[in-house]
Amino acid sequence: MEKWAIGVFASLDAGLGVNLNVAQELGIKTIQLHAPQQSSRTKENADAFLAKLNDMGITLTCVFGGFEGESYADIPTTQKTVGLVPAETRAARTAEMKEIADFANLLGCKCVGLHIGFIPHDTSDPQYAQVVAVAQELCDHCKTMGQSVHLETGQETADGLLQFIGDVARDNLKVNFDPANMILYGTGEPIEAVKKVGKHLGSVHCKDAKWAANPGQEWGQEVPVGQGDVNFESYLSALQEVGYEGPLTIEREIPQEPERQKQEIGHAVTVLTDLKSKILG
């Protein structure tokens, strides 16, 4: 695959990604896939989906897990409902995440990703050790299939993420870096953060956002690529500096407005293509 192949976050029957036809129309050659509903994760569906991707000339680079009951309504709700951190749903979601990894394996995909949730900042909190253990369990399951696990950034500072990766101590645990999430959650300056976690990068998102008036207390605002506070030229330069060569996956989470979503993803493709040729020459 070419360096920094432009990708898009896509979905089949669940999740916030775009329809595959949009990727094809825009000439996008790589996708990350939001895992389909449990009932669709069959060998038969995997084979049919792979055949479709093959016909379209599209490569699948990562399968992302998401769970029933997750809500990103505001920061406190996200803390309570997202990922593998909430104790009451942890066992069921860990089991489901392993099933998603098995489905990714049927698709020949060596990467699974997820928002693990708000990891406790206090490492002496008993919940912290439990989340470390669950991450180890998931990494060990994926390792048997030669897969890596990519943690989506946002809820942690770069330092918090480095601490957690060090404590999990699994060589197949990587970062899916989303610069907009650092701004949306108010967890740190994205360019600085990407340089800090650079050696752990497994994949990246290209999404833009504006800082909230009270970062960390309330959400920032997601906006089209190039209209927010990320500064994509600095972002791509930082990716170049840390030696990242994988896809640049555009994520634009407005599935209820498909025409606008398509238009804004098309604009992001133009912005990234121009910057890519400027930086890579």
Side-chain angles (χ1 to χ4, degrees):
M1 196 187 294
E2 63 168 308
K3 180 172 175 172
W4 292 358
I6 292 177
V8 71
F9 195 79
S11 61
L12 294 173
D13 58 10
L16 299 168
V18 297
N19 189 293
L20 272 187
N21 299 336
V22 173
Q24 189 182 30
E25 274 179 58
L26 294 171
I28 291 170
K29 295 296 181 199
T30 78
I31 60 160
Q32 288 184 348
L33 180 72
H34 196 286
Q37 292 163 3
Q38 210 158 7
S39 58
S40 343
R41 294 181 218 136
T42 63
K43 173 80 170 81
E44 193 180 19
N45 285 353
D47 291 345
F49 181 59
L50 274 180
K52 188 174 183 182
L53 286 182
N54 211 21
D55 287 348
M56 291 179 159
I58 291 174
T59 303
L60 173 65
T61 61
C62 194
V63 177
F64 261 79
F67 309 103
E68 282 295 320
E70 288 185 316
S71 169
Y72 294 86
D74 51 41
I75 288 177
T77 306
T78 305
Q79 273 175 318
K80 283 194 203 84
T81 66
V82 166
L84 305 181
V85 172
E88 59 283 1
T89 51
R90 189 182 299 144
R93 286 180 175 181
T94 303
E96 185 175 3
M97 199 59 217
K98 289 178 183 175
E99 286 171 18
I100 289 169
D102 296 344
F103 181 70
N105 191 47
L106 291 177
L107 293 167
C109 187
K110 295 302 178 195
C111 161
V112 292
L114 79 160
H115 267 295
I116 200 164
F118 276 82
I119 300 161
H121 293 161
D122 175 5
T123 55
S124 64
D125 181 329
Q127 290 270 17
Y128 180 83
Q130 291 168 21
V131 179
V132 166
V134 94
Q136 289 170 331
E137 187 184 326
L138 179 59
C139 285
D140 293 346
H141 179 81
C142 291
K143 182 87 168 183
T144 64
M145 297 178 282
Q147 293 170 326
S148 55
V149 177
H150 293 195
L151 299 181
E152 170 105 14
T153 51
Q155 291 100 338
E156 275 61 55
T157 62
D159 291 334
L161 201 53
L162 289 172
Q163 171 81 46
F164 183 72
I165 290 169
D167 291 341
V168 173
R170 293 294 186 270
D171 62 3
N172 61 331
L173 185 64
K174 311 274 185 201
V175 172
N176 181 82
F177 192 87
D178 187 321
N181 282 352
M182 305 298 290
I183 292 170
L184 290 168
Y185 288 89
T187 43
E189 186 53 60
I191 310 304
E192 211 174 282
V194 83
K195 289 179 185 178
K196 272 190 178 174
V197 302
K199 71 174 191 289
H200 299 288
L201 284 190
S203 49
V204 304
H205 282 167
C206 290
K207 189 169 90 190
D208 211 345
K210 292 183 172 176
W211 290 96
N214 301 296
Q217 311 294 302
E218 57 198 26
W219 282 124
Q221 181 198 358
E222 190 192 332
V223 294
V225 164
Q227 293 180 25
D229 295 325
V230 167
N231 186 337
F232 274 83
E233 185 165 351
S234 301
Y235 179 48
L236 265 59
S237 297
L239 292 177
Q240 171 81 328
E241 192 180 308
V242 300
Y244 177 75
E245 300 198 345
L248 305 175
T249 303
I250 299 159
E251 188 182 19
R252 186 69 178 108
E253 298 178 346
I254 45 170
Q256 65 287 0
E257 297 182 63
E259 274 312 306
R260 183 177 152 216
Q261 189 180 39
K262 180 176 159 183
Q263 188 187 347
E264 291 181 3
I265 288 169
H267 171 70
V269 171
T270 305
V271 170
L272 294 173
T273 303
D274 290 351
L275 286 173
K276 189 174 148 177
S277 57
K278 182 174 178 182
I279 291 164
L280 301 182

